Structures are given as structure tokens and as C-alpha cells.
Amino acid sequence: MKTRLGRLLAKVRVLVGPTFRRFWVSVAFTVAVTTTSIMATTGRFSDDWELMGRVSLALLAGLLTSWCTILSWERRVSSGEAVSSDATPDATPATGNLAALLLSAVVAGGTFAMVNGMTFVSVSRHVAICAFLLLMFFIIPNLRRTRSFEMYIVRLFSQAVVSVMFAAVMFLGLAAIALTVSALFSLTVPSDFYIRIWLVMFGVLAPFIFMAGIPGPEEVVEDHSYPKILNNLVLYVVTPLLTAYSLILFAYFAKILITWQWPVGLVGHLVLWYSLVGTAVLYFVWPLALKNKWAEAFSKYFTIALIPLLVMMFVSMGIRIKYYGITENRYYVLVVGLWVLGSMLYLNLSRAKKSIVLPISLAIVVLFSVLGPWSSFSVSKWSQNRRLEGLCTKYGMIRDGSIVPSSEVSPSDRDQIRAIVQYFDRYHDLSDVRVLPQGFTLDQFDEVFGFSYVEGESGEPRRVQYVAGEYSLDIGEFQYLFHFTEPFRSTDRIHRLSQGDVEAAYDRDNHRITITLAGNLEWEQCLTEFVLEIQSKYGATESAELLPGDMVIEAETPDLRIKVVVVSISATVDPVARQTVVHEAEFVVLVGKVGHSVTLQRNAR
């Protein structure tokens, strides 16, 4: 028995030993991160989640730093820069880990101090620093190396998938065992137990398996080692889907050029995430391009197809910035979009293309976007201050650098001023507003600006939905009823219902209801105007059940009496750009002929 146990332990030592010797500091950090996460979610420190959250975030930055330091040390050793010729082989990983321990402790301590208060700025800065370290994790081992950077990424991605699958199987197996034992032996297993198992499997086991597959400094990753499953997934699933998505975006781009109606805050995110995913997929396509014509064509034309879509994104973002100024989110979209555009131009124009240039430039962009006077936070505060000062100057509210209250500000500009002050209160500090008096609080808003502050009112686009309550109608004056239940699911742009010589129609593109008699236009009404009227009456509410009378539109022409009852409607309202897009609507149109006897009839399509 002892002999078998000894052999088993020897096998475990052979499998685990090399990885532990190479990354023992990183393993320690994974254990520490998992422990603090367990304490924050299920332990006695769960009430003090902010403290444990700060510790976990700091340790995560330390883990990434340890990887970068160890890989950097290995690269220097392999090139003969770090150790003397008489150094023992075992001393090399030990020295690298000691250096990693020291540097990681410094980074973790600095990160812990930085995320004090867990504010929007500090957490965003932490995320950017971790993203920078993760990019450096890929870059450092391949600097001045001749091996394929793309195959290195393929290798790490494959290892990550294996690690996650292994951890998932272990978690499901252990959870099933615990559930079975509790059911058969009438034992109570707390739900926290399963959370702890999940955290251990994905916080310790998965990273350890992943670290075991990180190529060594001298290891060459050959093209023939490209996994067959990943090969088929990239060639026959991912790239066709990206191609179809590209065609959809180009069709949408063509629609915008024809109608010249730009969408409300949608294009930027659609194109940005598509371009980032597509750029990442290129690293999996390039190794296949030499032996597959489809991969070669995709890698060639995708970089060209992205450019006009990015231009469309910049125009859309320019419209948003014109009305709302720069915020952190818009800053990131612009900066990352410019990086993608620069990368595509580099890949198309450069003769000596080096794929490692893309992550290096992205790492620089990520770091500089959260540090220094050009950071997203500094630029956003400058932009919003400038926007607020412009609005106040418009009404003569700034005198000697201070705000003078005014009651003459228009409702839309009041919303914008409230939104700007609300932005500083939520994401920064009210002391960052240059024109506000020292020590200003929201309770003093009415006194300082001359109108009240209402939480939630904003100049940003918002989704609204209105529903009519229970109602009854007098239909004695009407002969025809047209019930539009699913006009947005119709394949036709214009949805028509008719009865005799009366026709009711709804145009989905311009959101307009029209009534014709014997082919002649009698009356028309745009639903966007109806939504804006509701907004002006009920304010910035986003969802409400309205009084029946507020959901009725009445009109009369020389020949017809018309009543439209809106049952429900949802739309996106942009109060500053004065754009409204109706997404769904259900309504009933009642029509009666003037001077005719009344008979209620059922409509026919």
C-alpha cells in the first residue's frame, strides 16, 4: 500500500513539479485571490465586501505582474542577459520568482491604495492596468523572437479552453458527489459550499493547468500543431459569421446614406465590438492563410472592409459628442476605434507586417487612456465643464466666474444642465465643476441654478414605454375599426388595413399613420410627435401606465371623423438631438364618415 501511494505521489510530483517550480509565486497569488474571494462572498468578511474586494483586485494585479516578471526573466535568461554562465539550472526559476514576488508585492500594494473607496475612476483605472498587464503577458515572451506570435496565441487559447473545461468537469463532479451524499445520508450541505468549490476550481485549478501549458522561452510552436477542432471552428463557423455580420453592417450603412437618418447611440458599440472581435480572430486566421484560400481571402479583405465601417462609427460618435460632449465611454470608443483604424491601415500599407505591433500599440493606448492629463477622466471632465459653461453663458448665468440663477432656461437645456451635474456627482466629484461654488451640494441646486434638480432627468437618449390602462370608448360616431397589432413584424414597410373605400396605413420608417378615402389623403399623424407630447406632459418617466385620455388622438376632416387609441408604444427619445425612434406600437384606428349612418363593421385586410 505504501509503495503504491509512493508511486502515486511520485507521478503527481513529476506532473506538478515543473509548473510549480516555474510559477510558484503565481500559484501563491491564485490561492490568495481565491481565498479572499471566498471570504468576501461566503466567509465572515462578507459584510465588509469593499475591503475584501479591494484585496482581491490588488492580488489579481499582483498575479498578472508575476506572470509578466517570470516570463521576462526567462526571456532574458534564454538570451544570456540575466545570469552568469556558472549559474545552476534550478537557480534560474527561483531567481525569477523572487523578482516576481518583490515586484508583484509592490504592484499589489499600489493597486490596493489606488482602489480606495471603489470609485468609478479607481476601478476603471484598475481594469485598464490589468488589461495592460494581460497584453504584456502575451508580448514579453515574443519580443525579438523568431517564433510565430500567432501560433503562440493559438497555443495559449487552446490551453485556456482545456483548463476551463477541466475545471468545469471537476466542479460538476464534486458538486454531484456533495449533492448525492447530502441526499442519501440526510446531510445538510450549505449553498456556500458549492460556491467555494466553484471558486477553487476556477480560481486555483484552472490557472494552474493553464500555466502548465505556457510555452518555454526556447519552445517553438509549429504551425502543424494547430488544433483540428479550432481549425474547423475558425474556417467554417467564426469567419462566415463575421462575414455575414459585415454584410449586415454594410446594408445598414447603405440605408443610412440613402435616408440620411443616423441611429440613436447604436452604431458605435455595434462596430466597435465587431472590429475588436474581428481583429482578435485575425490572429487565428493568419496561420491558416498559407494553406487555405478562404482564410487568405478573409485576412486580406476583412482589414479593408473594416475601414468604411469605422468611418461610419466615427461620424455617429461625432454626432453624440456634438450634443453631449465627451464622457469616459465615448472616449474609450473613440480611442479604441482610432487604434483599430490605425491597425487596419498598418496591415494594408506596411510592407514588413509584424503582428506583435498590434498588441504593443494597444497596450500603450490602454495605459495612457487612464493616466495623465490626456486620460479619459481628465478629458471628460474638461469636456463636460466646457459644455456646462456654454449652456450657462447662453442665458447669461456666469458672472465673474460664478453662476447666477436664472428661470429663463428652456426645458431641454435644464435637462442638459441637470445631466452634467448628475454626471459629476455619480462618476467624479462636484468640486470638479469649475463654476460651482465651493462646498456645493445637490440640495443647493435650486438656489444656485434657479430651477429644481430632479434625479434621473438627463439629456441622454432614453428608452420609454407607455401602456394604456383599462378603458371604454363611445364608438357610436364611427363605422370602421382598424386594429394594428403587429405592424413591426410585417415584411412590408407600409402596413395597410382597409374597409370599403377607407384605408388606414402605418409607415414603419417614418412612424406615420395615414387615413385615405377613395385613394385621397384625408389625415396623417406621426407617432413620434405623440411620444414627445407624452414626454412633455409626464417628464422623464421611462415606463408608465397612462390615463386612457392621454393615449387617444382625435381629429376631424370635412369627410371623416378619426380617433386613434394607442394601446402600447415603446420608443427611444433623444431630447437634445430631437430624434425619436418608435420600436413597437399597438393601436386602434376608428373612422366614421361625416353625415353617414353608423354601422359597426369588422375590418378586412
Side-chain angles (χ1 to χ4, degrees):
M1 182 67 179
K2 291 183 179 179
T3 305
R4 291 181 179 178
L5 182 60
R7 284 200 294 264
L8 178 61
L9 292 176
K11 289 182 180 179
V12 172
R13 188 168 57 253
V14 170
L15 294 174
V16 174
T19 303
F20 190 79
R21 284 194 300 271
R22 187 183 178 195
F23 293 106
W24 63 265
V25 170
S26 302
V27 172
F29 269 99
T30 61
V31 174
V33 171
T34 303
T35 302
T36 55
S37 299
I38 291 174
M39 294 170 65
T41 55
T42 64
R44 60 189 181 92
F45 292 96
S46 57
D47 293 335
D48 196 2
W49 65 269
E50 183 175 323
L51 173 61
M52 301 312 299
R54 288 177 61 194
V55 174
S56 298
L57 291 177
L59 291 173
L60 177 60
L63 169 63
L64 295 172
T65 304
S66 69
W67 279 348
C68 294
T69 306
I70 293 170
L71 294 178
S72 177
W73 186 265
E74 289 181 346
R75 188 184 68 83
R76 295 184 65 196
V77 169
S78 66
S79 60
E81 300 176 12
V83 295
S84 60
S85 58
D86 57 347
T88 62
D90 291 337
T92 299
T95 306
N97 275 268
L98 289 175
L101 180 61
L102 179 61
L103 188 57
S104 299
V106 172
V107 172
T111 305
F112 180 80
M114 182 185 69
V115 295
N116 185 26
M118 300 287 282
T119 63
F120 168 76
V121 173
S122 63
V123 173
S124 299
R125 188 168 281 141
H126 175 270
V127 171
I129 290 174
C130 287
F132 169 80
L133 292 171
L134 184 61
L135 288 168
M136 295 306 297
F137 165 74
F138 291 98
I139 294 167
I140 289 172
N142 295 280
L143 287 173
R144 300 178 183 177
R145 297 289 180 178
T146 57
R147 65 183 176 188
S148 171
F149 180 59
E150 297 86 353
M151 285 305 303
Y152 184 84
I153 291 178
V154 169
R155 171 74 172 273
L156 290 182
F157 177 80
S158 303
Q159 187 67 19
V161 172
V162 170
S163 304
V164 170
M165 292 180 63
F166 198 99
V169 171
M170 286 293 294
F171 167 72
L172 292 174
L174 293 175
I177 291 173
L179 189 63
T180 303
V181 170
S182 65
L184 295 179
F185 297 96
S186 300
L187 299 176
T188 301
V189 178
S191 58
D192 292 352
F193 178 76
Y194 298 99
I195 298 176
R196 293 174 182 178
I197 292 178
W198 188 90
L199 289 172
V200 170
M201 292 300 104
F202 287 92
V204 177
L205 182 62
F208 189 88
I209 297 173
F210 175 74
M211 286 184 276
I214 298 176
E218 300 296 337
E219 185 177 350
V220 178
V221 186
E222 302 291 346
D223 289 350
H224 60 75
S225 62
Y226 201 112
K228 185 67 175 178
I229 294 178
L230 185 59
N231 177 91
N232 293 334
L233 182 66
V234 170
L235 289 180
Y236 306 118
V237 178
V238 177
T239 51
L241 287 175
L242 282 174
T243 303
Y245 195 88
S246 302
L247 295 175
I248 293 172
L249 287 179
F250 271 105
Y252 190 64
F253 190 20
K255 176 187 174 184
I256 290 175
L257 293 178
I258 293 172
T259 61
W260 206 245
Q261 292 182 352
W262 290 88
V264 181
L266 181 65
V267 169
H269 292 287
L270 288 177
V271 176
L272 180 67
W273 290 109
Y274 154 78
S275 61
L276 284 176
V277 171
T279 303
V281 168
L282 285 175
Y283 282 89
F284 296 87
V285 174
W286 281 327
L288 305 174
L290 296 176
K291 51 187 177 182
N292 185 280
K293 292 184 178 180
W294 164 244
E296 181 184 5
F298 181 87
S299 61
K300 178 180 179 181
Y301 294 109
F302 181 80
T303 57
I304 300 174
L306 264 182
I307 295 175
L309 296 176
L310 289 168
V311 172
M312 176 179 67
M313 182 194 76
F314 289 134
V315 174
S316 176
M317 287 304 301
I319 295 173
R320 314 310 305 162
I321 292 173
K322 175 184 176 183
Y323 288 114
Y324 307 119
I326 299 174
T327 60
E328 283 78 6
N329 288 338
R330 295 188 191 106
Y331 179 97
Y332 296 139
V333 171
L334 279 177
V335 169
V336 176
L338 289 171
W339 172 79
V340 175
L341 178 61
S343 299
M344 297 304 106
L345 292 175
Y346 169 77
L347 293 174
N348 283 287
L349 301 178
S350 176
R351 294 183 179 180
K353 299 180 181 66
K354 294 183 179 180
S355 58
I356 198 172
V357 170
L358 271 63
I360 291 175
S361 59
L362 180 59
I364 296 172
V365 167
V366 168
L367 193 62
F368 278 83
S369 68
V370 295
L371 299 175
W374 46 75
S375 69
S376 60
F377 315 116
S378 299
V379 173
S380 297
K381 287 190 290 186
W382 168 83
S383 175
Q384 295 303 317
N385 265 302
R386 187 168 175 267
R387 183 174 163 226
L388 178 61
E389 291 166 7
L391 287 168
C392 292
T393 302
K394 178 180 177 181
Y395 295 96
M397 296 173 62
I398 297 182
R399 296 177 187 173
D400 300 326
S402 300
I403 294 181
V404 177
S406 173
S407 59
E408 298 179 358
V409 183
S410 68
S412 62
D413 287 341
R414 290 186 182 190
D415 283 347
Q416 291 190 67
I417 291 174
R418 292 187 187 106
I420 295 170
V421 175
Q422 181 176 288
Y423 161 81
F424 278 100
D425 183 53
R426 288 183 177 179
Y427 301 113
H428 298 284
D429 194 270
L430 292 175
S431 61
D432 293 323
V433 184
R434 294 192 293 256
V435 295
L436 288 179
Q438 189 175 2
F440 173 84
T441 63
L442 293 179
D443 294 334
Q444 300 170 304
F445 190 94
D446 195 345
E447 176 186 349
V448 172
F449 287 95
F451 51 90
S452 61
Y453 174 81
V454 180
E455 180 72 25
E457 291 198 7
S458 170
E460 294 285 337
R462 54 182 176 267
R463 186 75 175 254
V464 298
Q465 182 171 4
Y466 302 122
V467 179
E470 295 182 350
Y471 63 91
S472 59
L473 295 173
D474 180 4
I475 60 173
E477 298 179 308
F478 304 98
Q479 295 171 284
Y480 308 111
L481 183 150
F482 307 95
H483 191 183
F484 289 81
T485 56
E486 298 179 347
F488 290 84
R489 297 191 178 101
S490 173
T491 57
D492 299 326
R493 180 176 69 88
I494 300 178
H495 193 63
R496 292 183 170 89
L497 298 174
S498 62
Q499 179 68 41
D501 56 355
V502 177
E503 180 184 86
Y506 180 75
D507 190 323
R508 293 183 301 171
D509 284 356
N510 57 28
H511 319 301
R512 188 171 295 276
I513 302 172
T514 57
I515 307 295
T516 59
L517 176 63
N520 298 316
L521 178 64
E522 288 283 326
W523 176 83
E524 61 181 352
Q525 172 72 40
C526 185
L527 283 182
T528 58
E529 298 172 2
F530 169 76
V531 173
L532 292 177
E533 289 177 4
I534 296 296
Q535 282 280 296
S536 63
K537 182 174 182 178
Y538 285 88
T541 180
E542 296 183 357
S543 179
E545 181 177 310
L546 306 184
L547 297 174
D550 294 328
M551 300 290 278
V552 175
I553 305 171
E554 293 185 278
E556 185 169 340
T557 71
D559 297 314
L560 299 177
R561 286 183 294 269
I562 301 163
K563 179 178 286 188
V564 178
V565 182
V566 181
V567 179
S568 64
I569 187 169
S570 65
T572 297
V573 179
D574 188 338
V576 178
R578 295 179 176 84
Q579 292 180 344
T580 301
V581 178
V582 177
H583 303 297
E584 293 182 0
E586 179 182 356
F587 52 91
V588 175
V589 179
L590 298 170
V591 179
K593 292 183 178 180
V594 176
H596 284 243
S597 59
V598 177
T599 304
L600 184 65
Q601 303 179 28
R602 297 182 64 185
N603 68 311
R605 289 180 180 248

